[in-house]
Structure formats: C-alpha cells, structure tokens
Amino acid sequence: MVERCLGSLCFTQLMTSDAKFFGFSEFLAGLALMILAWTIADVSYKFRIATAPVPLRRLTFYTVTIIGLLTLLTDLWRAEQWFVPKGDLLTPPTWQAFLGFVFFITFLSWAWYAFIRPPIFGRSSAKHFVHAIYHFVLKGTQAELAVVADELRRSAKNIVKYSVNHGGEGSHRVESFRTIFGSPTVSSYAEDILMLISERRFCKAVVDSSPGTALEIFLAMKEFKKYSIRIDVFSKNIINYALMNKESFLYQEAGDYNSGLIGHFKPLTQAMFSDHSMVEEINSMFELDLWGDYSFAAPHWEAYCRIVLMTYKDKVDNDFWGSSRSLWHAFENIRQAAHDLYKLNGVADYSLNEDSVKKLRVIVNFIKDVVSVLEKRGVPDYLPWKKKGTFETHYDQLASLIFEIIHSAAAVQGPQGLSWWMHYNMLWGELFGSFSSKGPAAQIIMFKLRRLIYNEIEQMKKVPNYKGAKIVCFFLNVVGLLPSKFASRNENIIRNIMVCWAKNYYVTLHRKNPQVAAQCLVDGIIYDDLRMRLIKTYSPNALRPKPKMVYLQLMA
C-alpha cells in the first residue's frame, strides 16, 4: 500500500481489492426499489407523505442526490486508486456504512410516516395539511377525495381543537386562503381546512365513503364545546348529500326493524342532532337545497323528519321556553313538503301510492311524534293558552304547522273519494280521530288550531280570499253540514263555525266573487242557487245502497 505524508497528515491509496458493500451499483438498485414503491403508492400514502411535519419529499430528493454523487465518487476514487486521508475514525468501510445508513434512514422515514405513524394535524404539520387538502380538492377526483376524507379522521379532533370559536351565530364566510398567501397561525390553518372540506365534492366523499370523519368532527365539537367554528357550510352539505344518498348514515341509523347495532345506537345522528344548543349555534343543519338540483321524495322527508325530531326532543326536555330558529326553519321545510298536493286535484285515475300522498303520510306521522314528545314532557305551569304577540310556544308552532298542512291538503277538492281519503282518513282522522292522542298537550294544540281556524273565517267575513276558502272547503268536507252524534266536541265547535259562516255569508260571496265561492266547496257538495242551499251527497257503499243527500239552508 502506497502512503504519502505532508507533515503529520498522511494519505493512503485506495485499492480496488478493498471491501465494498455499498457502492453506486447498490445505490441504483435501492433507488430503483424506492422509486417503484413511490410510484405505485396508494393515494393515502401520498397524502401522508405530503402532510408529514417535515418536508419529506424535498429532503429525500436532496439526500438521495447527495448520496448518489458520493457513492459514484467513492467508486471512481477506488477505481483510480486515488489517495484518501489515513486514519482510524473514517475508514473506507465506515464511509460506505455511513452512506448506506443515511440511505436506509431515508427509506425508513418514508415508511414511518406512510405506514407506522401517519401524520396528524398539529402545529408542525398544519401548513402541509392545508396545501395537501387544497391540492386534492382542487383536483376533485372523487376516488381520491374519499381517501383524503378518511385520512382526515385522525386529525378531526385537532382541527376542531385549534379552530377559533367565533361565538354567536354561524354564517357563510368567503375569505382568501391566508395559508396559501400569508403567514398564518395554526388556528387560521385549522379554519381554512374547515372551509376546504366544506366543498360539495368533498362533502359527498365524506357521506359516501367516510362518515367516520364527520363523526369525529362533531364528537370533537361536543368535547371542546366549540359550536361556532366554521362548520356551517360543511354541516349543510353533509346533511343534504346524506338525505339524497339512501345508503348514507341517515338511513343506516334509522333504528327500524331491519337495523342492526348501528341502527340501535345511531352514533353519527346522535352526535349531530341530539344536542339542540349545538344545532342552534351552527344554524345550518336543517337547511335544505329545495330549489337546487335535489328532488326530495317521501323517503328523504322521512329521514329529515327523523333527525328534526331528535333535536326537537332535546329542545323540549332542556330548553322548553327558548326560541329556536333552526327548528323554525325545519318546520317550514316540512310544511313545504306538502306544497305539491294540488297536483292531485281532479285526477280521476289517482293512486294512494303517489309520492305526494306518501309525503303527507310522513308529515302526519311527524306531527303525531311531536305531540307524543310534548305529552311526555307534560304541560308546563303558566302556559299561555292564547298567543301573545309574536311569541310562540311549541304548541303554537305545531298548531300553525297543522293549519298550513290542512290548507295544502284542501287543494285536493276532487274526486270525492280522494278528497275524503286525504282530508279525513289521512289527516284529520289521524291527528284528531278516535286513535289520536287525547292528552293535555293534544287538547291545547286543538284549542290553538281552533283559534287559527276561527281567525281565518273571521277574515273571510271581511276580505274573502282563497286561503280562507280552502279552509272552509276542508272542514265542510270533514265535519259535514249537519250535527252527528259520533262527532267529537272539537268537530262540533268547528262545524258551528263553518255552518254559521256559510249560512250568513256564502250567498253574498257567490254573487260577488263566484271564483272564491267555488273554492269553498269540495267535490260532493254543490250550491243550489235557486233555493239558496248547500247540498252534500254521500256516495253509496255497502251499508248505504243509495246516495244520501243532506241540505243546509242559507240566508241571503
């Protein structure tokens, strides 16, 4: 071995026969395997690498580049037998071991973050999370968004933890991405993530493939009592997509006879809707895109009524007297579900399986469930029986809903069989018939409903209108023209109101405004102008072989 010295510093010549276990050829083989692994890696692993707390891709590139150059120079040095410093601290074998160790650590770093310890949102990784999510949301591939949505489940708690609780009501906010252009804090990163995941395509991916992510977010909100973070748009889109997808958690957690353990415990619906204070703070959870791309059929409304009822129970049990804008909007939406009943008016070839009929049945069942909740709660002391100004109790709200549904159903004036079936069998008979609740809450609701009916009829005396005419039409069909020994006290009171109005005002209304007067009569009731009387014809049936007619004499 040739050795040369310059003073105390000696150099020795590398020999081609020296031990070699990590050279350029070994580096290329290892690099090929790493590149293959990176190329075929799943989206989840790419997302994990992108969100690592260190810039793993950049560090890997520089590290691999440097190691490749050093291994290439090492092999060249050995082939040319150039001189290297002599010493025991860094020998040729230890030098190769050092390069191999750094290369091995680089590979382990990828494996650590990709497989063993996936990154979660935090102070060191917040910026990387925002940029990665921004990339995938901007790309918009549904399969990739589903993977990213599932990956976010581990970070949901930290995202909520670092988000700012704005307080007060939620709102739709439009801001630039401070995390893309600026120097933000971890809280602003968290808020921008909430805005990013509120994109409709991402919400669809959450509903379809990763409802657990939504579950973790809402559980974290409850844990930290943060109800005013920027979650309003996310909540609205999640619920709308879940309603439209009959394979979503809203239907899996229905709790019916066909449901299993998930349907019994209802983890996600409980987390989202069982706390009225959270629903009220978010203020968007019952907003429906009724005028958008969606078409809500009876099953969708049934699921919607189920989640509204869950929130309603908590509201009645824990904050009976407080107002609720969320529930007010929910009741308005449910009222809108019956707006298309008019399409059945005059349809001879009708079917009780029509979607409009099914939606009416859903609404009636919801009202009965609400009455049951109020009955279990019990009537509180000092409940005002008469509405005072704009203040509405739960009983006023429910009576108003029933009144509006009656108005919608009254649009079906014929055929006679259909109008009777919808007016009495499906609506009035179910809510106030022999099998309905007779408890104190039901009596209060009936009292308030009678007051609404009376006020509408009084308005008809002063200003005839189509809405009042529909109310007259409905109740003349339901309670009839003459007293009945089988009628309830409430039906007799309403009949007296209707008959009294008809006797004193119908003839004048028919002469001055025949269009409105015609809307007061259902198929099966006609006006005899010559004798000034109303004639109601009861169709023949098994117990009545011939049609039966009853008369109500009117006054000019």
Side-chain angles (χ1 to χ4, degrees):
M1 180 181 295
V2 180
E3 184 175 322
R4 296 178 184 178
C5 294
L6 293 176
S8 60
L9 181 61
C10 295
F11 294 86
T12 184
Q13 190 179 29
L14 281 181
M15 305 301 294
T16 56
S17 59
D18 288 344
K20 175 187 176 185
F21 53 85
F22 185 76
F24 190 68
S25 58
E26 288 79 12
F27 166 79
L28 289 179
L31 181 62
L33 291 176
M34 289 183 65
I35 293 176
L36 179 63
W38 299 339
T39 303
I40 65 175
D42 192 8
V43 176
S44 59
Y45 303 129
K46 293 180 180 179
F47 179 79
R48 293 173 185 179
I49 296 302
T51 56
V54 295
L56 200 56
R57 290 178 177 174
R58 187 179 302 173
L59 288 176
T60 300
F61 173 78
Y62 291 135
T63 302
V64 169
T65 300
I66 293 172
I67 292 175
L69 289 174
L70 291 177
T71 55
L72 179 62
L73 288 174
T74 300
D75 284 356
L76 176 63
W77 226 273
R78 178 187 292 107
E80 295 293 336
Q81 297 186 351
W82 289 343
F83 288 87
V84 295
K86 181 180 179 182
D88 297 330
L89 181 63
L90 188 63
T91 63
T94 58
W95 171 251
Q96 295 179 66
F98 171 74
L99 293 180
F101 177 76
V102 174
F103 187 78
F104 183 59
I105 288 296
T106 302
F107 173 78
L108 288 183
S109 299
W110 278 71
W112 175 261
Y113 287 115
F115 302 101
I116 308 302
R117 194 72 176 269
I120 61 173
F121 181 86
R123 295 183 182 277
S124 58
S125 61
K127 181 179 179 180
H128 302 153
F129 263 87
V130 172
H131 280 272
I133 297 172
Y134 177 78
H135 166 76
F136 282 103
V137 170
L138 192 64
K139 189 176 180 181
T141 304
Q142 205 62 34
E144 294 184 354
L145 290 179
V147 175
V148 174
D150 188 63
E151 289 294 315
L152 274 184
R153 182 176 54 181
R154 290 186 300 272
S155 300
K157 185 174 181 178
N158 278 2
I159 292 172
V160 174
K161 175 183 176 181
Y162 288 112
S163 297
V164 176
N165 201 31
H166 295 275
E169 60 190 55
S171 61
H172 298 278
R173 305 170 180 90
V174 179
E175 296 182 5
S176 61
F177 286 110
R178 295 163 296 170
T179 57
I180 306 298
F181 310 104
S183 53
T185 63
V186 64
S187 294
S188 60
Y189 282 123
E191 290 191 342
D192 283 342
I193 287 181
L194 291 177
M195 294 172 67
L196 278 169
I197 66 175
S198 298
E199 294 292 329
R200 299 178 64 159
R201 288 175 296 184
F202 193 92
C203 292
K204 185 176 185 300
V206 171
V207 171
D208 293 343
S209 306
S210 184
T213 301
L215 174 62
E216 293 298 329
I217 290 176
F218 285 98
L219 287 177
M221 290 172 63
K222 286 189 173 183
E223 179 181 348
F224 296 111
K225 300 297 181 182
K226 287 188 172 183
Y227 301 152
S228 298
I229 60 177
R230 298 184 174 179
I231 202 70
D232 46 340
V233 181
F234 176 81
S235 303
K236 174 186 174 182
N237 289 336
I238 286 290
I239 294 166
N240 276 271
Y241 275 117
L243 285 170
M244 295 309 300
N245 181 3
K246 292 184 181 180
E247 299 297 325
S248 71
F249 64 91
L250 289 184
Y251 299 90
Q252 292 177 354
E253 300 180 7
D256 54 21
Y257 180 77
N258 295 320
S259 298
L261 187 65
I262 299 299
H264 176 73
F265 288 105
K266 305 178 179 65
L268 186 47
T269 50
Q270 285 285 348
M272 294 179 69
F273 305 106
S274 63
D275 188 345
H276 171 262
S277 59
M278 182 179 74
V279 174
E280 189 68 11
E281 284 286 339
I282 295 174
N283 196 34
S284 66
M285 298 186 70
F286 293 139
E287 291 184 11
L288 297 181
D289 192 5
L290 294 174
W291 313 112
D293 300 330
Y294 306 132
S295 177
F296 287 86
H300 304 132
W301 285 111
E302 185 176 8
Y304 183 75
C305 289
R306 190 163 52 246
I307 60 178
V308 172
L309 185 67
M310 187 177 293
T311 303
Y312 190 86
K313 288 179 181 177
D314 184 71
K315 170 65 177 174
V316 169
D317 291 338
N318 299 303
D319 185 23
F320 184 87
W321 295 107
S323 61
S324 174
R325 287 171 301 173
S326 297
L327 287 175
W328 183 86
H329 282 297
F331 274 60
E332 282 295 300
N333 288 333
I334 293 172
R335 180 184 66 83
Q336 287 288 334
H339 79 283
D340 59 347
L341 286 173
Y342 71 93
K343 297 178 181 179
L344 296 175
N345 187 39
V347 177
D349 188 21
Y350 63 86
S351 170
L352 296 180
N353 289 322
E354 292 284 346
D355 188 62
S356 299
V357 179
K358 291 181 179 179
K359 286 191 287 187
L360 178 61
R361 186 177 294 113
V362 168
I363 297 171
V364 170
N365 289 335
F366 170 75
I367 294 173
K368 292 168 67 176
D369 289 337
V370 171
V371 173
S372 177
V373 171
L374 294 175
E375 296 286 11
K376 291 179 181 178
R377 166 62 172 79
V379 179
D381 297 332
Y382 311 111
L383 177 77
W385 280 67
K386 293 184 179 180
K387 184 179 176 181
K388 296 182 180 180
T390 58
F391 174 75
E392 282 192 342
T393 64
H394 293 288
Y395 302 92
D396 293 305
Q397 189 179 37
L398 190 56
S400 297
L401 175 61
I402 296 172
F403 182 79
E404 294 298 332
I405 299 303
I406 287 174
H407 173 248
S408 296
V412 183
Q413 296 177 293
Q416 185 177 4
L418 176 62
S419 62
W420 173 256
W421 179 269
M422 294 189 63
H423 293 177
Y424 188 83
N425 291 348
M426 291 192 62
L427 185 51
W428 185 259
E430 286 287 329
L431 297 180
F432 301 104
S434 57
F435 297 103
S436 62
S437 172
K438 299 297 186 297
Q443 295 300 321
I444 295 173
I445 294 168
M446 186 67 242
F447 172 83
K448 292 180 177 294
L449 177 62
R450 290 203 314 263
R451 173 56 59 176
L452 292 173
I453 295 168
Y454 176 79
N455 291 341
E456 191 65 40
I457 298 305
E458 285 296 304
Q459 185 69 16
M460 277 287 287
K461 295 177 181 179
K462 301 173 185 178
V463 183
N465 58 86
Y466 285 103
K467 184 173 184 178
K470 294 289 181 60
I471 299 300
V472 172
C473 165
F474 181 90
F475 283 105
L476 286 180
N477 187 34
V478 167
V479 301
L481 304 179
L482 300 178
S484 171
K485 62 180 180 179
F486 301 107
S488 64
R489 175 178 174 272
N490 290 318
E491 289 176 343
N492 285 327
I493 293 174
I494 295 174
R495 181 186 294 106
N496 291 337
I497 295 173
M498 298 300 162
V499 170
C500 181
W501 176 86
K503 283 183 176 180
N504 293 284
Y505 295 96
Y506 187 82
V507 174
T508 302
L509 177 64
H510 185 270
R511 292 172 180 172
K512 293 184 176 181
N513 200 331
Q515 292 85 1
V516 175
Q519 294 297 314
C520 295
L521 304 181
V522 73
D523 186 26
I525 301 179
I526 62 172
Y527 172 58
D528 184 352
D529 193 11
L530 183 61
R531 295 180 175 84
M532 290 191 302
R533 62 181 182 178
L534 293 178
I535 305 172
K536 181 170 184 178
T537 303
Y538 291 91
S539 302
N541 55 38
L543 301 178
R544 187 174 50 241
K546 294 182 180 181
K548 176 185 175 183
M549 294 184 179
V550 297
Y551 306 91
L552 178 64
Q553 190 62 47
L554 309 179
M555 294 183 293

